[in-house]
Structures are given as C-alpha cells and as structure tokens.
Amino acid sequence: MKIIAGNWKMNGTRTALAEMLDAIAGVTTENRVILCVPFTMLRNGTDNVAIGAQDVSANVRGAYTGEVSGAMIAETGAKYVIVGHSERRMYHDETNDIVRAKAMRAIENGLTPIICVGETMEEKRAGKTFDIITDGVRESVPENVTDDIIIAYEPRWAIGAGITPTAQEIADAHKVIADTLGYMGLNGTPILYGASVNANNVADIVAIKNVDGVLVGGASLKPQEFVPIINNAK
Ligand code: PEP
C-alpha cells in the first residue's frame, strides 16, 4: 500500500473535484488516495478518496481575519492537511516553528498533518540538504506526538520543474528522514516523495527504499494524469 496524495494548490473547481472523485471511484487499488484541495472545496471523502486541506491556522480561534482553524477544517469532513509546503515557507515566511504549531492544531482536531520539508537549490549547492531536512523534521514535528503524521520530502528546486532528483538522491534523503524519525521514536511514520511526479516516473520512485508514497502537484489536477499515477504506484 502506498499513499498517493494530490495537492491542487490554488486550482480547480468543485465541479472538477466531483469529476475527479467520480473518475477515482472506478479505480480498484490498495493505495490510499488523498486529495488536498482549496478551502472552498473541502468536503467529505468518498469510499476510496480522503480529502485534505493545504494549510491550517497556527491559532485556535479568534481575531485572525482570513485564517481557517483546524476545527473548521475537521467540520467539513476533511481528514488531512498539508503543513509547511514550500510555497507557504517561501511566500508566507513560514518557519519550522510555525509549521510545528500548525501540525499541532491539525492533530488536536483529529486531522493528519502532511508535514513538508525540503531544500532549495541554493541549499543543495551548499551541501546543506541533509541539515535542512533533519532540522525540518526535528523542528516541524510536534514533540511526543503519538497520533498519525506523514512527512513529505519535497526538494524545492524540483517542484513544478519537470525534473526529479536521482534515485540515489531520493534514497539518501529518505534514509536521513527515516533515521531522524527513528531517533524521535517515530519509526514507521510514512515518508512521501514530492516534486515532478508523473505516471511515467511514479513506479520507479515508490520502489525506492523508505518511499511510502508520493505528493503530486500539477499531475493531480486531471483524471487522465492522476488515475494512471494511482494505478502505476505499486
Ligand atoms: C507540490 O507542489 O507539492 C508538488 C509536488 O508539485 P509538482 O508535482 O507539480 O512538482
């Protein structure tokens, strides 16, 4: 069983989501499929697709105009929420501390956080990849967590770029994350790979050790691209 999570970012419509759910309803798979959609499209999942949000407020409630709380997300029927996506870190200055607070708000409301970590090209060139992802996991995962969490390794330089790291680079990064989670007493936490996943490369990617699934951006928007990813991820 692999986890196949789509991230629609600021794309789609409720009609497009209904069409995607219909298309996936006809798919027989052992994989766990999650679609993380904009707040306005949050709803209950279906028999074979769970719904997730793409962000959650670090605050519980109150005077935070424009923010959406964990309780509000949970009330829609959504079960997951992405936290610390690189676009949130880049455009909204989210630090590991903020991401940890958001992950806590998710867990308190019964949502499973998909906590994203990954290095920029500058950090990669400076040889800092393992430091960034180790710190990302240690500082973004809430302390003493006993509830389900998911980690997504997303090399920021490969997101939306149509390029992926080598299989060895993915294996090395996932081993560092698995070891870090092990030191934290979180063995068995699923680790997803994300960035430029498509129907042609997904089988090779999920065959890499410590890769428990994928987080898919652009290729999750259309049934004709996303359904083959679900089918090919074995
Ligand atoms: C993402 O932004 O989470 C992502 C994986 O994007 P893409 O698949 O388009 O690279």
Side-chain angles (χ1 to χ4, degrees):
M1 192 281 289
K2 299 291 180 183
I3 298 172
I4 313 298
N7 172 15
W8 275 21
K9 311 193 183 190
M10 198 170 70
N11 294 296
T13 59
R14 285 196 269 185
T15 306
L17 177 58
E19 285 166 6
M20 178 65 86
L21 293 174
D22 277 352
I24 302 174
V27 175
T28 304
T29 177
E30 285 183 0
N31 293 332
R32 194 194 317 169
V33 182
I34 305 165
L35 274 175
C36 296
V37 295
F39 287 128
T40 54
M41 296 174 211
L42 291 177
R43 46 162 284 173
N44 280 314
T46 60
D47 284 349
N48 60 357
V49 184
I51 299 294
Q54 301 169 9
D55 185 32
V56 59
S57 177
N59 301 293
V60 175
R61 72 176 65 77
Y64 300 100
T65 301
E67 296 196 18
V68 177
S69 72
M72 292 168 182
I73 294 170
E75 194 183 27
T76 67
K79 300 289 181 212
Y80 294 84
V81 58
I82 296 173
V83 292
H85 189 275
S86 67
E87 287 148 18
R88 301 291 314 175
R89 292 177 185 265
M90 189 164 38
Y91 301 134
H92 301 273
D93 297 327
E94 289 191 8
T95 60
N96 288 335
D97 285 346
I98 294 172
V99 175
R100 187 176 65 248
K102 291 185 170 204
M104 283 162 63
R105 297 296 90 75
I107 290 166
E108 286 161 7
N109 288 286
L111 301 166
T112 300
I114 302 173
I115 302 170
C116 300
V117 298
E119 79 287 2
T120 62
M121 182 50 94
E122 201 182 353
E123 289 161 346
K124 176 179 164 62
R125 288 205 179 109
K128 291 186 184 159
T129 298
F130 297 157
D131 290 341
I132 295 293
I133 59 183
T134 303
D135 289 352
V137 172
R138 288 176 45 186
E139 295 171 11
S140 304
V141 172
E143 267 175 49
N144 303 321
V145 68
T146 52
D147 304 80
D148 285 347
I149 62 165
I150 296 173
I151 302 294
Y153 169 58
E154 295 210 300
R156 290 163 66 164
W157 49 273
I159 291 179
I163 47 167
T164 54
T166 64
Q168 190 62 52
E169 285 173 325
I170 296 174
D172 291 346
H174 279 243
K175 175 157 183 0
V176 166
I177 293 171
D179 287 348
T180 306
L181 290 165
Y183 289 128
M184 297 168 75
L186 295 171
N187 277 318
T189 298
I191 308 168
L192 312 185
Y193 167 80
S196 298
V197 173
N198 58 47
N200 295 324
N201 62 20
V202 68
D204 288 341
I205 290 172
V206 297
I208 297 169
K209 193 165 179 215
N210 295 311
V211 176
D212 302 300
V214 286
L215 180 54
V216 186
S220 70
L221 289 170
K222 295 184 186 149
Q224 63 268 35
E225 292 183 33
F226 194 49
V227 169
I229 291 176
I230 297 168
N231 285 326
N232 293 353
K234 292 180 186 140

